[in-house]
Amino acid sequence: MKLKKLPYLLLFIMSIFLFSCESEEDDSGIIDSNDNNTSTSWADNYWKKSGEEVYIDLTSETPKFCSNGNPVPGTYSSLRWENTNIAFFTLFNAGDEVEFRIQKNGNSLILAPWDAAAQQTHNPSTYSLSNEFPCDGGGGSTTDNGEIAFYTRKDNGCSSISITVGSITQYLQYYYPDGISDCTQGEVFSLPVGNHSFTAKCNSTTWSGNFQITSGGCLIFDLQ
């Protein structure tokens, strides 16, 4: 099951970490030809947009954004790696969604909206390594967080399952007949250590429950 794409996202959010002074172009071919890295660990860092106080935290499966010391609104899906140099994620806000692509470019990364139909990007922005992420106090680790991965084994007859934990809502877009074994699949939430509750909905079917997050832990929850 796949979430239907909606036509636009709030321009305010888009303007925060995109629409830089760089020209609009398709950057699909931008890869360091001398880069033989076979791991995605290069992305596991803080990144800063060129010329602006906009940051990305890629130290967990779910990206976070910070602009001028304030968290950027919206809900982000976990990273989906196409290969060791390219990953995709989805930004959800007020019923809208937009797909983004992250691509390694030497010691930098390129972030841009992804047009799946045209198989190209638009309005790319360059981010460089940073030793801080101001919205988390900068430089600190995320070891006080853990993860929970929600999944379902069957197509429940809706385009997606909405899952809400606290004030965060994310969308499970696929089903997994054979189940999942870790927090690299399903719809993953990165949450503070402690007790949490969730609700999930697919048309008239609903789920709810409680769970406990441990530091660095991974819970797997089957929406049966």
Side-chain angles (χ1 to χ4, degrees):
M1 75 188 155
K2 190 173 183 179
L3 187 63
K4 180 180 179 181
K5 300 297 181 186
L6 296 175
Y8 64 92
L9 184 65
L10 297 177
L11 291 177
F12 168 73
I13 298 175
M14 294 284 289
S15 66
I16 290 175
F17 49 90
L18 297 170
F19 306 136
S20 66
C21 295
E22 301 166 52
S23 61
E24 179 174 334
E25 61 183 77
D26 174 13
D27 65 314
S28 59
I30 302 177
I31 298 178
D32 183 357
S33 60
N34 294 319
D35 183 11
N36 295 317
N37 188 14
T38 59
S39 170
T40 61
S41 62
W42 63 269
D44 187 13
N45 284 292
Y46 303 118
W47 300 85
K48 182 179 182 296
K49 183 179 177 181
S50 297
E52 298 186 34
E53 292 300 310
V54 177
Y55 296 81
I56 312 175
D57 177 359
L58 296 179
T59 59
S60 66
E61 287 293 319
T62 304
K64 293 187 292 183
F65 287 84
C66 180
S67 176
N68 296 312
N70 298 305
V72 177
T75 301
Y76 306 92
S77 72
S78 54
L79 293 172
R80 303 182 297 277
W81 287 95
E82 179 179 277
N83 56 49
T84 56
N85 289 313
I86 297 174
F88 296 88
F89 69 92
T90 306
L91 169 59
F92 304 94
N93 184 277
D96 295 332
E97 66 171 279
V98 65
E99 193 89 355
F100 287 90
R101 187 180 73 172
I102 293 172
Q103 181 166 354
K104 180 175 173 58
N105 181 32
N107 292 324
S108 302
L109 68 78
I110 305 295
L111 171 69
W114 174 247
D115 183 340
Q119 290 290 293
Q120 65 181 18
T121 59
H122 302 281
N123 300 101
S125 295
T126 300
Y127 286 72
S128 301
L129 283 169
S130 173
N131 61 5
E132 64 175 349
F133 185 74
C135 291
D136 273 350
S141 68
T142 57
T143 54
D144 287 337
N145 282 6
E147 294 180 324
I148 181 170
F150 292 91
Y151 77 99
T152 184
R153 294 177 182 268
K154 61 183 180 180
D155 186 342
N156 290 273
C158 55
S159 58
S160 67
I161 298 176
S162 64
I163 306 169
T164 300
V165 179
S167 61
I168 302 172
T169 299
Q170 296 179 194
Y171 299 87
L172 180 61
Q173 304 175 55
Y174 306 99
Y175 62 97
Y176 302 83
D178 297 325
I180 62 175
S181 59
D182 55 37
C183 286
T184 63
Q185 293 180 296
E187 191 57 34
V188 180
F189 287 75
S190 179
L191 299 166
V193 168
N195 295 316
H196 300 268
S197 61
F198 81 93
T199 58
K201 185 175 182 180
C202 169
N203 294 334
S204 61
T205 303
T206 60
W207 300 263
S208 63
N210 302 305
F211 58 91
Q212 184 177 48
I213 291 291
T214 59
S215 180
C218 168
L219 292 176
I220 298 174
F221 196 99
D222 183 0
L223 297 172
Q224 299 181 358

